[in-house]
Amino acid sequence: MLVIASPGQGAQKPGFLAPWLDIDSVAEYAGSLGEAAGVDIVKHGTVSDADTIRDTAIAQPLLVASSLIVHSVLFGALDVPRPDFYAGHSVGEVAAAGLSGALTETDAMEFVRDRSKAMAEAAAAEKTGMVAIVGGAREDVLAKIEAAGAVPANINGAAQVVAAGSIAQLETLRENPPAKARVIPLQVAGAFHSPYMAQAREALAARVSDYSVRQPQIPVISNADGAVVREGQAFLNSIVTQVAHTVDWLACMRTFEAEGVTGILELAPAGTLTGLVKRDAKALARFDLNTPDQLDAARDFVREHAGQAPKEA
């Protein structure tokens, strides 16, 4: 069984889309996705520098567009079976909504446009931040985060948690770290996936009816709790809630194991999620699809692991 995964914000790298845009009609497709989001995907995926694509309002649409683009090329071969599940980390779930059919590609790009702008506005309202906590016992890590008044924003693995909060809360956490753990400041615009994003969540919730939601053709494994979601509106509601709520990628990995997943293919820019799988779900085979010259091998990987019958792309 196979899961296709879409990475979250921070995975982007300057020029990472350039080789994909050399494929016939892909640049035109990227342009249409960019029009829906109000972002120049071609420019930002090829020539924009790291500081430019770090901007939340650019990074999020760029990453969703990348998943849609690379997925369309990968499954352009009609003999390639579809995956058994989709999953994504944070904004990667918006890509998963578009890939699974819960949202149209246009709606996915419009949704991420609205999401990124709402989160950027919420981040600008108050000075907040995030820190990564690497190592330590999970219970102690969570207790130290709570004691500092911060919240766990990302549970990325058994030994990697990202905390979010005010600058004062994060400083308290750095001064009182969990035993046998490192607290590492992250270069982010604000306290994503925390109560500081409440206004962004409310802004998105007010617009949920603007998007055409359908039943996903393939189920999605949710960041909320690792649940397998087969109902489109429930998944969209979960993505809205996720903006101000913990992203639990560890729960997703536990579901991969429980559902009998044997392989995970991460779409470009790949490597972050498969890296977490390597540490916490070691039995799963992994494939990082970053460049078109990997397509033959990627399709072989899909054929080896996907449990469903072939379907048209």
Side-chain angles (χ1 to χ4, degrees):
M1 297 184 80
L2 176 72
V3 60
I4 299 281
S6 297
Q9 192 168 347
Q12 71 276 3
K13 302 174 181 66
F16 78 94
L17 267 184
W20 296 97
L21 298 180
D22 288 336
I23 299 172
D24 287 347
S25 75
V26 170
E28 181 180 355
Y29 178 41
S32 67
L33 295 174
E35 287 179 10
V39 171
D40 190 336
I41 298 300
V42 173
K43 174 184 175 181
H44 295 309
T46 56
V47 299
S48 292
D49 62 19
D51 285 340
T52 299
I53 63 174
R54 190 178 293 121
D55 182 342
T56 297
I58 293 173
Q60 293 189 12
L62 180 60
L63 287 164
V64 172
S66 174
S67 281
L68 296 175
I69 289 166
V70 175
H71 184 274
S72 72
V73 176
L74 174 63
F75 289 96
L78 299 184
D79 65 333
V80 179
R82 289 304 180 107
D84 302 278
F85 302 100
Y86 287 103
H89 187 285
S90 186
V91 74
E93 285 204 307
V94 182
L99 298 177
S100 68
L103 291 176
T104 66
E105 293 179 350
T106 297
D107 276 344
M109 293 307 298
E110 291 179 352
F111 181 89
V112 76
R113 173 199 65 200
D114 297 339
R115 181 187 191 271
S116 62
K117 289 181 179 178
M119 292 178 74
E121 289 172 2
E126 187 171 352
K127 195 169 183 180
T128 57
M130 303 175 82
V131 297
I133 304 171
V134 180
R138 183 174 175 181
E139 294 76 12
D140 183 36
V141 170
L142 296 177
K144 288 288 189 179
I145 292 172
E146 182 179 3
V151 297
N154 305 141
I155 300 176
N156 289 331
Q160 186 184 126
V161 176
V162 174
S166 69
I167 300 304
Q169 289 168 342
L170 298 182
E171 186 58 32
T172 297
L173 185 55
R174 291 180 66 187
E175 293 172 353
N176 300 277
K180 299 181 180 179
R182 292 180 294 140
V183 179
I184 306 167
L186 299 179
Q187 298 300 313
V188 295
F192 300 133
H193 304 296
S194 80
Y196 288 97
M197 291 290 114
Q199 73 177 63
R201 179 191 60 212
E202 291 164 5
L204 285 173
R207 300 199 59 182
V208 162
S209 61
D210 293 347
Y211 312 105
S212 299
V213 185
R214 304 174 297 181
Q215 296 301 97
Q217 298 173 333
I218 293 170
V220 185
I221 297 175
S222 171
N223 282 173
D225 53 8
V228 178
V229 183
R230 294 181 169 86
E231 203 276 315
Q233 191 63 57
F235 186 54
L236 184 60
N237 292 342
S238 175
I239 295 176
V240 171
T241 299
Q242 172 229 81
V243 167
H245 191 272
T246 304
V247 167
D248 195 340
W249 181 252
L250 181 60
C252 291
M253 292 190 285
R254 294 295 173 253
T255 299
F256 298 164
E257 295 172 322
E259 292 290 329
V261 169
T262 58
I264 177 172
L265 184 147
E266 185 175 358
L267 300 170
T272 301
L273 301 182
T274 51
L276 296 172
V277 166
K278 183 178 181 179
R279 288 191 289 273
D280 285 292
K282 295 180 176 63
L284 271 64
R286 304 173 303 278
F287 197 103
D288 296 341
L289 179 53
N290 280 310
T291 56
D293 61 5
Q294 299 174 291
L295 281 168
D296 287 344
R299 288 169 179 151
D300 287 343
F301 184 86
V302 172
R303 294 185 187 103
E304 178 182 356
H305 292 281
Q308 297 188 352
K311 298 179 182 179
E312 291 188 359

